[in-house]
Amino acid sequence: MDSINKLLQFPTLRGLVSGPQSLLTPLHLGALCIALGVLTPIIALIWQATQSDLSHWDNLITFVLPAALKNTVLLLAGVAVLVGVIGVGSAWAITAWDFPGRKILSWALLLPLAMPTYIVAFAWLDLLHPIGPLQTFIRFLLGFDSPRQFRLPDLRSLSGAIILLGLVLYPYVYLTTRATFISQPAHLLEAARTLGCSAAGTFFRVALPMARPALAVGISLALLETLNDIGASEFLGVQTLTVTVYTTWISRSDLSAAAQIACMMLMFIFFILTLEFYGRRKQGFSSRSLREIQPTRVPGWRGWLLGAVISLPVILGFVAPVLFLMWESAKRLGDTSPLSASLLSALQNTLLLAAGTTLVVICVSLLVAWSARHSAADNAMPGFRRGVMRLASLGYAVPGTILAIGFLPPAMAVDRWLADLLDIRGLPLMSGGILLVICCAMRFQAIAIGALDSGLGRIPPSLEQASRLLGENGAGTFARVHFPLLRPALVSSALLVFADAMKELPTTLLLRPVNFETLATLLYAEAARGTYEEGAIAALMIVLAGTLPVILLVRHQMTRRG
């Protein structure tokens, strides 16, 4: 008893268990349990990796890991360079110059965000096939008759993967750097020009260094998406660590070895998160009272040429694949008007998965964000709010393959315990798709937590205080004050989560129930077999769903600029 009393003398422990600002309230405990639940798959992954000996590593080190590690490093490096060049270049061109098509391109450059990487690979593999439409047209122009006379380099290569992933992921850098370029005061650039700097020198010595934190954040987001990719890399024949983890588990049925390789990937994730943290730590905001950069008119053919160059990422990363998918879908629907039973079943499963994931994410994120608001309002342990939100948002930084491997052992243990408790055969949570929904919710709840926390931050505490003075309790204040004001953030975050859940491939591949196909897995299976009967229709449906949040993002950006 004396030792307990001594422990309670510490302010931290005393604040946890006593006083009106105690953290051990149902609200805070619920948020803490959610955050620890997201951390559980990572702990389980490390535990699973220690449950097997290293006898199989001789074969992995000799034949598997060197190539996979080399491909992963080169892929990350190549994508980082390409998204940096395209994202920064297009953001600066849109900000600093006025040319034909500038207003359209300012939002059209975001459209590749709607394209999952595996769909871009699926489309371009067919477009650039030796007997596909593009190479056939080029041979027609050059007067050749067969692929033996003229043939473009094979897209199935590491360089092809870098180009395609870069064309899809550059909007992350474009978004972050353009926001920084817009907020930069014009007088700094004018001072550099007055001191004799050229236009290029002003960009590299003034504008780009100020945008370096935003560049680091954008590149880190693109690299996390690159690590999460499995479909595009496998379609293009690039054996990355992510693909190796998947094949080790599925093809060789060696979960421990897959967990050990996944632990290696955690080092890449730690490096990328460190880069992102460094970027956010250094990020600052200029005063809005300062005069912003005014774009300089580029006249004549130079303006048209600049517009054509800036539009290339949009054409290659969105327009061309979408037109191809529309053409192939029209041909398919023209041959057989009614959609097949398998496609309709995949569509239904996809909608159910996306709707279930969105519902879970919104409920969980509301709890975490509301708990964070009360922690900040009560000034109770400043680190609690920040730590809980970071832990709860950790799932988005972990690739779906790694998250699924770490999530499976504890989830299966709970499922077996539940089956024994209910005295039923089988695994009710796994077979019902509930485990898949929970894992997807862990992965995407960071999107909603950030949006809802930002939305709550814009609601002044005085409104809540006035409601409480008028006799409303906490639930009534939330329902009548906060919820209506949070509706825009709720809708936008729900759309983002719904679209991401529809196109999620790695988690769905690994945790789906038997005979459960989504649009993403249906497309993956057809591409793996080399058939394209209904893959184009499935891909087009996913792209259409992904376009909705991009349109919402564009409207938000235009509203802020207005």
Side-chain angles (χ1 to χ4, degrees):
M1 182 63 69
D2 291 338
S3 60
I4 295 177
N5 290 331
K6 290 180 180 179
L7 284 175
L8 290 178
Q9 298 303 315
F10 288 96
T12 299
L13 295 178
R14 188 169 63 248
L16 282 171
V17 299
S18 64
Q21 298 177 356
S22 172
L23 292 182
L24 292 180
T25 63
L27 179 66
H28 295 127
L29 278 176
L32 184 60
C33 289
I34 291 170
L36 294 177
V38 176
L39 189 63
T40 299
I42 299 177
I43 298 175
L45 177 73
I46 298 173
W47 177 85
Q48 184 71 28
T50 61
Q51 299 307 299
S52 177
D53 57 30
L54 302 179
S55 58
H56 55 275
W57 273 76
D58 291 337
N59 179 67
L60 290 176
I61 292 176
T62 304
F63 301 104
V64 178
L65 288 182
L69 188 61
K70 176 184 176 182
N71 289 337
T72 302
V73 172
L74 291 178
L75 182 64
L76 291 175
V79 169
V81 172
L82 190 57
V83 299
V85 171
I86 297 177
V88 173
S90 57
W92 180 249
I94 295 294
T95 304
W97 295 312
D98 186 11
F99 52 89
R102 173 179 174 269
K103 290 184 179 180
I104 296 177
L105 287 173
S106 65
W107 58 263
L109 284 163
L110 297 173
L111 290 175
L113 282 176
M115 296 291 295
T117 53
Y118 58 88
I119 289 182
V120 173
F122 170 84
W124 276 108
L125 278 174
D126 207 21
L127 280 169
L128 290 177
H129 194 274
I131 57 174
L134 286 182
Q135 294 209 46
T136 301
F137 179 69
I138 294 174
R139 284 196 297 270
F140 171 76
L141 292 178
L142 298 178
F144 296 123
D145 297 327
S146 69
R148 295 180 180 178
Q149 296 174 298
F150 176 84
R151 183 173 179 175
L152 293 175
D154 194 355
L155 188 62
R156 290 182 174 88
S157 62
L158 179 61
S159 57
I162 291 173
I163 293 173
L164 290 186
L165 290 177
L167 289 173
V168 176
L169 301 177
Y170 78 85
Y172 289 108
V173 178
Y174 170 76
L175 268 175
T176 56
T177 54
R178 191 183 176 223
T180 303
F181 288 147
I182 290 174
S183 64
Q184 288 180 359
H187 72 273
L188 295 179
L189 305 181
E190 294 169 354
R193 296 301 300 270
T194 303
L195 293 173
C197 271
S198 62
T202 301
F203 169 73
F204 285 107
R205 299 180 65 179
V206 180
L208 186 58
M210 287 194 294
R212 194 177 300 158
L215 176 62
V217 173
I219 289 179
S220 66
L221 292 174
L223 294 185
L224 287 175
E225 290 296 327
T226 302
L227 270 182
N228 183 60
D229 171 72
I230 186 173
S233 300
E234 191 167 2
F235 293 167
L236 298 171
V238 180
Q239 188 73 13
T240 62
L241 285 175
T242 307
V243 176
T244 302
V245 169
Y246 175 74
T247 55
T248 301
W249 182 7
I250 299 300
S251 302
R252 303 174 188 172
S253 301
D254 194 343
L255 183 58
S256 296
Q260 290 169 352
I261 301 173
C263 285
M264 294 180 57
M265 293 182 62
L266 291 177
M267 296 186 294
F268 287 94
I269 297 171
F270 177 77
F271 171 76
I272 295 171
L273 292 179
T274 303
L275 175 67
E276 194 268 349
F277 173 76
Y278 173 81
R280 290 189 183 276
R281 184 174 62 88
K282 295 290 185 178
Q283 198 168 20
F285 299 92
S286 301
S287 172
R288 301 298 296 178
S289 62
L290 298 177
R291 184 166 55 88
E292 299 176 0
I293 300 173
Q294 297 299 316
T296 303
R297 180 68 181 174
V298 182
W301 64 270
R302 292 183 178 85
W304 288 100
L305 178 61
L306 179 60
V309 172
I310 299 301
S311 65
L312 279 178
V314 182
I315 295 173
L316 299 177
F318 182 81
V319 176
V322 167
L323 291 178
F324 165 77
L325 295 177
M326 293 175 64
W327 174 256
E328 291 296 324
S329 299
K331 288 196 305 182
R332 172 65 181 172
L333 293 175
D335 294 339
T336 54
S337 337
L339 300 178
S340 68
S342 60
L343 184 59
L344 290 176
S345 176
L347 176 60
Q348 179 183 1
N349 293 337
T350 303
L351 295 176
L352 288 175
L353 171 62
T357 301
T358 303
L359 180 61
V360 173
V361 165
I362 293 301
C363 294
V364 166
S365 301
L366 272 174
L367 176 62
V368 173
W370 187 248
S371 169
R373 179 180 176 88
H374 276 261
S375 300
D378 296 338
N379 294 319
M381 291 189 67
F384 175 81
R385 173 180 181 270
R386 185 169 54 252
V388 167
M389 291 193 65
R390 284 183 178 176
L391 283 178
S393 304
L394 187 62
Y396 194 73
V398 181
T401 306
I402 296 180
L403 191 65
I405 291 178
F407 177 76
L408 188 62
M412 293 294 286
V414 173
D415 210 2
R416 294 190 188 96
W417 172 82
L418 184 62
D420 293 338
L421 180 66
L422 300 177
D423 194 20
I424 58 177
R425 299 181 61 183
L427 301 172
L429 299 181
M430 185 72 176
S431 59
I434 299 176
L435 294 184
L436 176 58
V437 170
I438 294 174
C439 193
C440 287
M442 286 183 177
R443 172 151 170 73
F444 298 126
Q445 68 186 23
I447 301 172
I449 288 175
L452 295 178
D453 181 62
S454 177
L456 285 172
R458 289 193 292 268
I459 300 176
S462 58
L463 294 180
E464 181 177 352
Q465 295 166 3
S467 175
R468 300 302 291 270
L469 287 174
L470 292 173
E472 280 286 3
N473 56 20
T477 300
F478 175 79
R480 301 182 64 180
V481 178
H482 293 93
F483 187 78
L485 295 175
L486 276 177
R487 195 170 297 158
L490 281 170
V491 173
S492 60
S493 57
L495 278 175
L496 288 169
V497 172
F498 189 88
D500 279 345
M502 277 195 69
K503 63 185 181 183
E504 174 64 15
L505 179 62
T507 307
T508 311
L509 274 177
L510 298 175
L511 293 180
R512 57 180 171 158
V514 179
N515 297 324
F516 184 90
E517 293 284 354
T518 64
L519 294 175
T521 59
L522 177 68
L523 171 63
Y524 176 84
E526 288 212 352
R529 292 192 300 264
T531 59
Y532 300 91
E533 294 180 356
E534 294 182 331
I537 302 176
L540 187 60
M541 291 179 179
I542 296 173
V543 171
L544 291 177
T547 305
L548 292 177
V550 174
I551 293 174
L552 184 68
L553 179 61
V554 168
R555 290 184 59 187
H556 176 67
Q557 293 291 324
M558 294 178 69
T559 302
R560 291 183 60 185
R561 290 293 297 149

